[in-house]
Structure formats: structure tokens, C-alpha cells
Amino acid sequence: MERNRLLQGDCIALMKTLPERSVDLVFADPPYNLQLQQDLHRPDNSKVDGVTDSWDRFDSFAAYDSFTEAWLTAARRAMHDDAAIWVIGSYHNIYRVGAILQDLGFWILNDIVWRKTNPMPNFRGRRFTNAHETLIWAAKHEESRYTFNYRAMKALNEELQMRSDWSLPICNGPERLRDDKGRKLHATQKPEALLYRVILSSSKPGDLVLDPFVGSGTTAAVAKRLGRDYIGLEREADYLAFAEKRLADVRTLSDTALLALDEKREAPRVPFGTLVERGFLDAGTVLVSVDGRHHAKVRADGRLVVRDFTGSIHQAGAHVQKAAACNGWTYWCYEVEGQRLPIDILRQKVRAEMQVTPS
């Protein structure tokens, strides 16, 4: 299957032509079915440039639900078993989308609130200012081993766990694509910062990202920047032409090592007992806590003895600190020529050997 391309046509029909189980991640920004009945105007009587396009209009909720079920079914067919999907929407449609996702067997992982730092005001003053949109992140099914780059998200958030409420500005300024007459090219163009967070969090370099409603090409552009492959589907020829032009100016980082993600949970699991049976530590070796206050002896079965307590490296660390939990790999140290080193160094040596391909 040819990757890194934009295709024009009906997204449902096009997705049916993709190989089954070929897609790693789907991002979908479907029509919201806003049900706008009349033009909106500002207090100065100027017209609000809202979503009035024909592609956002459906005859009824039943028609919208039928459309939603059809495109989600086609997307699910193209997703491999460990793939995930993101769908963004507003209060007009996201609850209907969420119910259909669950009905089709998707497993919802999170709902993310995108809080807009510069939302459009409510000009009529009859409702709260609509200052957010909702993204649903779901795995193909409950048993999917989906990708989540936890450490990358934590690093992006100054070493704090990334929360499910994201404060980002709407697409504006130079990023907002405009046609030859200076009008917004696409009424619902999403900011690249939003897609950056979505794609970085839930895919790996080289993964294939599918956008069934690619519009002005934001998903494809960010995927290309991050070293992912993409397929974008779009019905409207004008949008597609601008998206192609936009992608031509996007460059993938030449130093691919800088795109790599260091996720600890993907490293091979190494039980502490492996260090003993492999001779990295001998039974009877005395380990010392990182603060030098506690000592423990290594048993032949890989457990530690601390006075009258015997347990795993984690249990022993928690016991001496009277704590609920402890990471024994960083708490316990061994000594080499008077230098105290965490036992995690030995674990990394074992992992390095496990990853060497025999010649």
C-alpha cells in the first residue's frame, strides 16, 4: 500500500479500499452537524464566519448517526488490532459519536477537553461562551495493546503528568490558511499544536496515521513533521489542493534519532533474580539504600533480607521506609571501589545484552 498521500473522494468508500488492519492511528474531525438555522452577527452587525458549508448539514439526527456508524465501521476495519482512534467534536455531536463508538466495540481510554484560550465569544448573550471541544481517545477493542507515550507527554508538560484538559489557542494568525480572497480556507481548521500532542502521545515514528476528513491537511502535516506516515481523505477538491501545497513545504526532521521515544515500559522486563542467576550480584551481597541508612542482603532466590523481613527489592525498600510503595531499582545500591551505584545500572546491562542480535 502506498503511503504519504492524499486521496479525493467519499471517505467511507476510500477507507474500504485500504488493506484491513493496516492503520496504526486514526484522527477524525468529522462534520459536527451544528444545525445552524440562521446567520450569526456581531454587535456591530458584521457577519460571523461560522460553519455553513453543505458538508456539515444532515437532514436529521438519524441521518447523522447512520453516517457516523458507516465511517467508524470503515475506519475500524482499516485499523490493526492494537490501533487507536481519536475523534474530536463539540456538544452538538460528540455524545452521539461516543455512544456509536461503544456500540461498535471500541474501548474508550480518555476524553480530552481542549480548552480554547481564545474562543469565539457568545454574541447573543443567551448561553455560556462555548470555550472547549472534546476529543475521545479509544482503542479498537478492550484487549488492544495501544501505544501511549507516557514519558513523552510528561516531558512535554515539564515533567508533570499530562492531564486530560489541554489549554491551547484556536488556529489563528499565520497558521490559518486563507484562499486567494483572504477568506478562511476551512472553517474548522485545527491548530497544529493540538495534532502534535495527539500524534506524539499515541503513535511511533514510522506508524501510519489515517485522517478520513483531512480538510486543510493539518493531521498529515504534523504526521510528516514527526516522522509518521499518513493517508488523508477529503471530498472537497479545493481543500485538497491547499493541503497538497501545504505538505510540500513540510520537512521531516533529518536527524531521525531526535524523533525516537524513550518509553521505559517498552523495555524488556528484567526480574531482580536475573541479576543473581547471571552473576551480576552474588547471593550474600550487601546492598545499601540510596541514602546510606539501610542495608539488605541478597538471597539466592532474588529476594532481600532486612533484619527480620524478607521480600522483593520493592517490598524491602517500602518496609524500611515505612512507605506504601518503593521503586527498589533506584532505592537499593551496590558498591564498586567505594562508589555507590543503583542496581538499575545492572538491569540496563542485562537489557543491553538481550537486545544484541547474535551474529
Side-chain angles (χ1 to χ4, degrees), residues 4-12 14-15 18 23-32 71 74-75 78-79 84-88 135 186 188-191 194-195 198-199 207-223 228-235 239-240 243 246-247:
N4 299 320
R5 55 188 177 141
L6 303 180
L7 303 175
Q8 184 185 356
D10 175 75
C11 70
I12 298 169
L14 289 172
M15 281 191 283
L18 300 178
V23 171
D24 299 292
L25 182 68
V26 178
F27 177 83
D29 184 7
Y32 285 11
W71 77 256
M79 295 165 62
I85 184 171
W86 290 76
V87 186
I88 187 170
L135 299 93
H186 197 295
T188 65
Q189 181 184 343
K190 297 301 184 289
L194 182 70
L195 270 298
V198 166
I199 293 173
D207 277 356
L208 179 60
V209 181
L210 168 67
D211 188 335
F213 311 94
V214 79
S216 56
T218 303
T219 302
V222 175
R228 277 70 167 168
D229 293 335
Y230 62 86
I231 291 181
L233 313 178
E234 178 54 53
R235 192 178 69 180
Y239 295 158
L240 214 58
R246 177 182 186 181
L247 281 165

Side-chain angles (χ1 to χ4, degrees), residues 41 62 93 108 119 121-122 147 176 180 198 251 264 307 334 352:
H41 292 83
N93 72 322
I108 294 179
N122 185 275
T147 295
R176 171 65 77 171
D180 297 336
V198 166
R251 296 289 177 266
K264 275 189 174 178
R307 295 184 293 276
Y334 66 106

Side-chain angles (χ1 to χ4, degrees), residues 19-41:
E20 288 189 49
R21 298 181 174 87
S22 60
V23 171
D24 299 292
L25 182 68
V26 178
F27 177 83
D29 184 7
Y32 285 11
N33 191 26
L34 296 179
Q35 309 123 46
L36 295 179
Q37 303 299 321
Q38 55 187 330
D39 292 339
L40 295 176
H41 292 83

